[in-house]
Amino acid sequence: MIIEIINPILGFTSYPHRHSLHHHGPHLQHVNYSSSSFIAHNKRRSCECFDLHNELVPYAEAWNWQKSIVEQKKALIRTNEDCPDTLIVLQHHPVYTMGTASSTDYLNFDLKQPPFQVYRTERGGEVTYHGPGQLVIYPIINLRNHKMDLHWYLRSLEELVIRVLASTFSIKASRLQSLTGVWFGDRKLAAIGIRVSQWIAYHGLALNVTTDLAPFNWIVPCGIRNRKVGSIKGLLEEFQSTTRNEKSDFHELNDQQLMDVTHASLIKEFSEVFQLQINNIELSQHDRIIDYTA
C-alpha cells in the first residue's frame, strides 16, 4: 500500500513509506506489537463522532464530507486554533474505490460496464469494495495531537480491529508482514487506506461484519492475488459448525445485532487505542456536503 502525503512546504506529493502488496515467498511472518505502545496520552482529548453505522451513505457524499472537514481543520491550524479529531462511522451502498495509483489490472470487469459505481480517490492502496454489512470508520485525525508517524498510525488502526475481534468474538486475528490490514489466516477481515495532508489523516478502514463477499470476486482485493477476504459472520458460522464454545453464542444473533455489537466494540477500542473521549454529535449540528458530481 502507498500512503500519500502532501508536503505543504515543498509543494509536491512524497511517498515516505511503501508497503508491498505482493509477497512471493513461501511464508508470511506474523508481526507482534506491544499494546502498550499505542497509549500515547494520559489525558484524553475530545473527539467528535458522527455515528451513522445503521445508515447506507453514498460514497460520494461521505468522501466530500471528509474533505470538507479536512479543510476546516487546516483552517484551524493556520490560525493556531485547537484542531480536535473527528470520527465518522457508516456503511456504504455497493461501490468500488481505487487509490491514486491503483491499477486497472486488478479489475475483473470492463470499466465502461461496472457492476457497481467506481471511484478513483486520493487515498493510498489498490481497489477495494464497500457495501452493506461492512462497518467503515473514517477517522479524521490531527496527527500533531498524537504521533507524527505514519507507521504508528497504520499499526494503531490495525490494533483497534485486532482488539475488537479478540475481546468481543475471541477471534485471534493478526497482522501479516508487508501486508497492511487485519487477517485471520489467509483471509483479510479489515482493509485500510489513508491519505495524509499537512499531518491530517483521513479515509480509514473497512471491517467486514455481515458483508456479502460475492462482489469481491469482481476485483483483486487490495491487489493481492494469493489471499482471500473474510467476514466476522462467516468466521462465527465456521466456529459454530466445528466447535462448542463461547464463540457459538454469537451465532444466535441476527445480522443487525451482530453489526450493533461490532460497532459498540469498535467505538470502545478506538477510544482506548487513541486515548480519546468520544462525543457523539447529532447530524443536524454539522453541515454535510452532498455533491454527487465531484
Side-chain angles (χ1 to χ4, degrees):
M1 186 184 78
I2 299 175
I3 309 150
E4 297 190 346
I5 305 177
I6 298 298
N7 188 316
I9 300 175
L10 300 179
F12 60 83
T13 304
S14 57
Y15 303 88
H17 305 289
R18 290 178 179 266
H19 297 263
S20 172
L21 290 170
H22 302 281
H23 184 90
H24 301 290
H27 301 289
L28 285 170
Q29 296 180 352
H30 292 261
V31 183
N32 295 317
Y33 293 83
S34 170
S35 296
S36 61
S37 65
F38 296 90
I39 306 301
H41 301 281
N42 292 323
K43 183 178 180 180
R44 297 194 178 193
R45 298 177 61 91
S46 175
C47 175
E48 60 179 6
C49 177
F50 298 98
D51 191 347
L52 306 174
H53 80 279
N54 281 325
E55 296 187 30
L56 293 176
V57 179
Y59 185 82
E61 179 180 337
W63 186 15
N64 285 315
W65 188 13
Q66 288 185 78
K67 290 187 286 187
S68 173
I69 295 174
V70 168
E71 290 307 311
Q72 291 171 21
K73 293 188 184 304
K74 287 180 180 179
L76 290 173
I77 291 172
R78 284 195 296 270
T79 55
N80 294 317
E81 296 180 65
D82 185 46
C83 179
D85 298 323
T86 300
L87 179 66
I88 301 172
V89 188
L90 47 71
Q91 298 178 59
H92 284 306
H93 293 283
V95 65
Y96 294 112
T97 68
M98 304 173 69
T100 303
S102 291
S103 171
T104 56
D105 292 343
Y106 298 126
L107 304 180
N108 298 327
F109 57 82
D110 186 343
L111 267 175
K112 296 179 181 178
Q113 294 181 311
F116 304 111
Q117 283 188 297
V118 180
Y119 289 93
R120 185 178 288 276
T121 75
E122 72 274 66
R123 65 163 174 80
E126 288 290 345
V127 63
T128 193
Y129 166 77
H130 298 303
Q134 183 189 75
L135 282 174
V136 179
I137 70 169
Y138 293 127
I140 306 174
I141 296 288
N142 179 9
L143 292 176
R144 296 173 180 82
N145 294 338
H146 300 273
K147 193 173 182 179
M148 294 164 69
D149 182 322
L150 299 187
H151 282 297
W152 171 86
Y153 181 57
L154 288 170
R155 302 295 80 78
S156 296
L157 291 176
E158 293 168 344
E159 175 73 5
L160 80 90
V161 175
I162 290 171
R163 290 186 182 192
V164 166
L165 296 173
S167 65
T168 306
F169 303 107
S170 298
I171 295 174
K172 190 176 181 181
S174 63
R175 301 172 178 86
L176 294 182
Q177 189 175 34
S178 299
L179 298 177
T180 299
V182 177
W183 303 76
F184 182 84
D186 66 347
R187 284 172 285 185
K188 194 172 194 176
L189 304 179
I192 297 173
I194 66 170
R195 170 82 164 190
V196 179
S197 178
Q198 298 179 26
W199 290 109
I200 298 174
Y202 62 113
H203 290 284
L205 70 83
L207 174 61
N208 296 325
V209 185
T210 64
T211 323
D212 176 9
L213 302 180
F216 284 101
N217 294 329
W218 288 97
I219 60 174
V220 179
C222 302
I224 306 172
R225 295 189 182 278
N226 59 344
R227 294 288 178 263
K228 304 174 184 177
V229 292
S231 70
I232 294 175
K233 180 181 179 180
L235 289 178
L236 294 177
E237 289 176 345
E238 290 180 21
F239 296 150
Q240 172 71 13
S241 64
T242 58
T243 64
R244 290 186 178 182
N245 56 30
E246 59 188 35
K247 299 187 188 75
S248 63
D249 294 341
F250 292 101
H251 186 70
E252 303 301 321
L253 299 180
N254 61 36
D255 283 6
Q256 184 57 59
Q257 291 170 327
L258 189 55
M259 289 288 285
D260 289 342
V261 168
T262 307
H263 158 263
S265 185
L266 267 175
I267 297 296
K268 174 181 178 294
E269 298 300 345
F270 179 85
S271 173
E272 291 299 319
V273 168
F274 290 99
Q275 289 292 281
L276 291 168
Q277 176 66 45
I278 305 300
N279 296 318
N280 288 313
I281 296 180
E282 294 295 328
L283 192 57
S284 59
Q285 298 178 28
H286 192 280
D287 293 327
R288 193 165 75 185
I289 293 178
I290 303 177
D291 182 357
Y292 298 98
T293 62

